[in-house]
Amino acid sequence: MNGGPVQNTSLVPGGVIGDGRYRLLARSGVDRRCDAELWRARDGQLNRDVALTVLVGSPADHAAVARAKRTAERAMHASSFTHPGVARVIDVLTPGAGVKLGEGILGMVVAEWTQGSDLVDLLADGPLPAGSTTRLLEPLGAAIEGAHHAGLVLGADHPQRVRVTPDGRLRLAFPGPRPDAIARDDVKGLGALLYLLLTGRWALPGGPPEVPAAPTGPDGSVIAPSALHPQVPHELSSVAVRSLEDAGVGGIRTSAAILQVLEQIAESEAQTALIKPVPDDTDDGVVWTTQRPARGKEHRRKLMISVAVLALATLAVVVWLGVQIVSFFSDEPSKGGGPTVVVGQSEQPGRGEQAAEPTPLGPVQPAAVGVYDVTNRPDNANRANRAVDNNPTTSWQTDSYLQPLPALKPGIGLMASFAEPVKLASVTVTSPSEGTVVEIRTAAANDAPVEQTQVLATATLSAGQTQVQLGDYPPSQHVLVWITKLAGGGRENKSEIAELVYTRAGES
């Protein structure tokens, strides 16, 4: 690359290029990664507007000429692909075939013109809501997925190559992948476009100067959209960031994974739009309902039933409080209501039988507890201490996920750090989230990679208390309760931990 397009006196509005066939009308953008200028032009022969991707450079720069030739070849291959989310390639011009090297033009990709507006102009008033974002992006995501199935790369990784159609969808208006582009670049481009719509910032190198760059954290990764704008749904925020990551743990590699989340968010938004708000004379304007309240005798009957139910509920609360007071003064380590289910430790790999259970001594309080998340986007991090505050009425919760683990992340958990290495006999988990699967692990540090932690036991939580027995293991200063399966199902996957009690083991 030469560092930027070569200046050319023909590349101005009103200029004529391509053997006098195309009159330039307006420049839509510049992709400096491949020395390309993006123009709206008029085809004088067919009397129609077209989109031109003009590859510029010095004819004496053999490397630039080779790159332009490769881009033209790839655009020619993509001309066989048709989809509403991509402008159709009409022609590809190379030196000697419609392009004069003396003009400083090394090649041109001619595509049909996409009516509508520039994507960057759409964001002039700020980021878009989640519903609008998914509706805009879905057609382009479907086009990328179709192209990848056909073995093609589109080059949808620059915001000025994309336009917004009059019917409200994103379309790749200037096709023509860079010579070294791969399918992963399209996926990153889709994630970057999602990030742009949600934040107004571009998260890949080589973006237009008028679009602010995405902020990054100390490790160089981009800050999640939900951290910049709390109203952004967790799923959209997570998929945007994970799409930008290189292949590895947690990274999204295919457009199909992005599409699935987009479709689920769009469906959820559509269902929400059908819910009618409560009339203005209600006490709480944030309550929503699908029906108007019943009146007359039927209304009074339901009201009496509600009063009776409320009375029974009040009695139940009083009984529950009594149980809590009794359990508070008892010697049991558990701190929540409901039955206690004891789960034996998992059989360790390479062992024919389980190790003898250590003798419990009593509870030990961790010095600190925090949310452990390999994606660096922890759920409710400021509430982690609620799981060890000796108060079962407060709790830490995961976010609510539209897909079960490990679709968006391999797991999530709470890492406890003790003042000194300890050996535990058991960990008691108080949780209302029946069906949650947890692993008790030890770690060398509170930020150790999950693959370097050691699994001591696995348990499926009951609705109440689950005591997970641990076998013999070396003392550790860091103990992780790692959730590998959330409670719920369908598009509502969420778990809650009300209390964790760590019971120290005696000498064997």
Side-chain angles (χ1 to χ4, degrees):
M1 188 180 298
N2 302 330
V6 172
Q7 293 295 323
N8 187 298
T9 55
S10 300
L11 295 179
V12 294
V16 178
I17 60 176
D19 282 344
R21 178 171 179 174
Y22 302 104
R23 182 174 296 278
L24 302 179
L25 302 179
R27 191 169 74 173
S28 292
V30 177
D31 189 348
R32 297 188 181 276
R33 303 167 307 159
C34 55
D35 289 349
E37 295 198 9
L38 314 173
W39 284 86
R40 179 179 184 177
R42 187 70 175 177
D43 185 340
Q45 291 186 10
L46 299 179
N47 197 31
R48 63 182 178 183
D49 286 359
V50 293
L52 296 183
T53 301
V54 184
L55 308 172
V56 299
S58 171
D61 187 342
H62 299 296
V65 172
R67 287 194 298 268
K69 180 180 178 182
R70 175 59 177 157
T71 296
E73 290 174 348
R74 301 189 77 179
M76 182 65 75
H77 292 154
S79 64
S80 61
F81 178 74
T82 57
H83 191 281
V86 182
R88 181 172 58 90
V89 175
I90 300 172
D91 201 0
V92 178
L93 306 180
T94 55
V99 169
K100 295 179 180 179
L101 284 175
E103 295 179 334
I105 298 175
L106 306 182
M108 287 197 302
V109 179
V110 185
E112 60 183 346
W113 177 247
T114 299
Q115 298 293 339
S117 61
D118 292 336
L119 172 58
V120 175
D121 291 343
L122 180 68
L123 299 168
D125 294 329
L128 302 181
S132 301
T133 295
T134 56
R135 287 189 293 271
L136 279 165
L137 203 55
E138 273 190 279
L140 180 59
I144 292 174
E145 180 66 10
H148 290 180
H149 277 295
L152 300 171
V153 177
L154 295 181
D157 55 356
H158 192 281
Q160 290 179 328
R161 287 181 176 267
V162 176
R163 288 177 59 80
V164 184
T165 63
D167 58 347
R169 53 188 172 88
L170 295 191
R171 192 185 199 207
L172 182 59
F174 295 91
R178 292 175 289 113
D180 57 346
I182 59 176
R184 183 80 182 90
D185 293 314
D186 277 343
V187 176
K188 286 186 175 182
L190 194 59
L193 289 169
L194 174 58
Y195 194 101
L196 176 66
L197 293 171
L198 294 173
T199 67
R201 297 169 180 266
W202 185 247
L204 289 178
E210 59 268 34
V211 179
T216 57
D219 61 350
S221 60
V222 297
I223 302 299
S226 58
L228 302 177
H229 303 283
Q231 72 276 14
V232 174
H234 173 83
E235 286 76 16
L236 277 186
S237 177
S238 178
V239 78
V241 175
R242 290 180 57 208
S243 302
L244 298 167
E245 296 172 350
D246 293 326
V249 178
I252 292 180
R253 305 177 186 179
T254 66
S255 54
I258 303 177
L259 266 177
Q260 185 175 11
V261 175
L262 293 179
E263 291 168 355
Q264 290 172 342
I265 292 290
E267 181 182 351
S268 177
E269 290 283 334
Q271 291 176 350
T272 301
L274 296 176
I275 301 176
K276 299 179 181 179
V278 173
D280 293 336
D281 59 353
T282 57
D283 293 333
D284 190 350
V286 299
V287 178
W288 294 72
T289 181
T290 57
Q291 300 180 22
R292 294 187 63 86
R295 301 297 179 187
K297 293 181 179 179
E298 181 65 16
H299 172 66
R300 287 193 295 271
R301 186 182 68 84
K302 290 183 178 180
L303 180 60
M304 294 301 295
I305 293 175
S306 299
V307 171
V309 171
L310 180 60
L312 290 174
T314 302
L315 179 61
V317 170
V318 172
V319 172
W320 180 83
L321 287 174
V323 172
Q324 297 307 304
I325 293 172
V326 172
S327 64
F328 180 81
F329 291 102
S330 69
D331 294 329
E332 295 298 323
S334 58
K335 293 181 172 61
T340 299
V341 177
V342 179
V343 180
Q345 76 274 16
S346 299
E347 185 172 309
Q348 300 300 311
R351 298 184 182 182
E353 59 183 12
Q354 294 182 352
E357 295 180 5
T359 304
L361 287 183
V364 55
Q365 188 74 8
V369 65
V371 178
Y372 180 92
D373 190 329
V374 298
T375 67
N376 293 322
R377 292 178 292 278
D379 300 3
N380 298 312
N382 59 335
R383 300 180 181 180
N385 62 337
R386 296 185 178 184
V388 292
D389 61 357
N390 299 308
N391 182 359
T393 64
T394 63
S395 65
W396 169 80
Q397 298 177 344
T398 70
D399 290 336
S400 182
Y401 293 85
L402 293 177
Q403 300 178 74
L405 300 176
L408 291 175
K409 57 178 63 176
I412 190 168
L414 294 174
M415 177 73 80
S417 298
F418 296 88
E420 60 183 8
V422 297
K423 180 186 288 188
L424 301 177
S426 66
V427 175
T428 302
V429 184
T430 301
S431 170
S433 305
E434 184 176 9
T436 299
V437 177
V438 300
E439 294 176 349
I440 309 300
R441 296 172 172 246
T442 57
N446 56 17
D447 58 352
V450 68
E451 58 270 15
Q452 295 180 13
T453 61
Q454 178 186 358
V455 180
L456 302 181
T458 302
T460 301
L461 301 185
S462 62
Q465 294 178 330
T466 305
Q467 188 181 82
V468 187
Q469 301 287 346
L470 306 179
D472 189 26
Y473 69 95
S476 176
Q477 196 167 352
H478 307 281
V479 177
L480 172 64
V481 178
W482 179 243
I483 299 174
T484 59
K485 180 183 178 182
L486 297 169
R491 297 189 2 256
E492 183 70 22
N493 299 273
K494 182 177 182 179
S495 289
E496 176 180 350
I497 293 180
E499 203 67 32
L500 292 172
V501 176
Y502 305 88
T503 302
R504 189 192 297 269
E507 296 294 331
S508 303

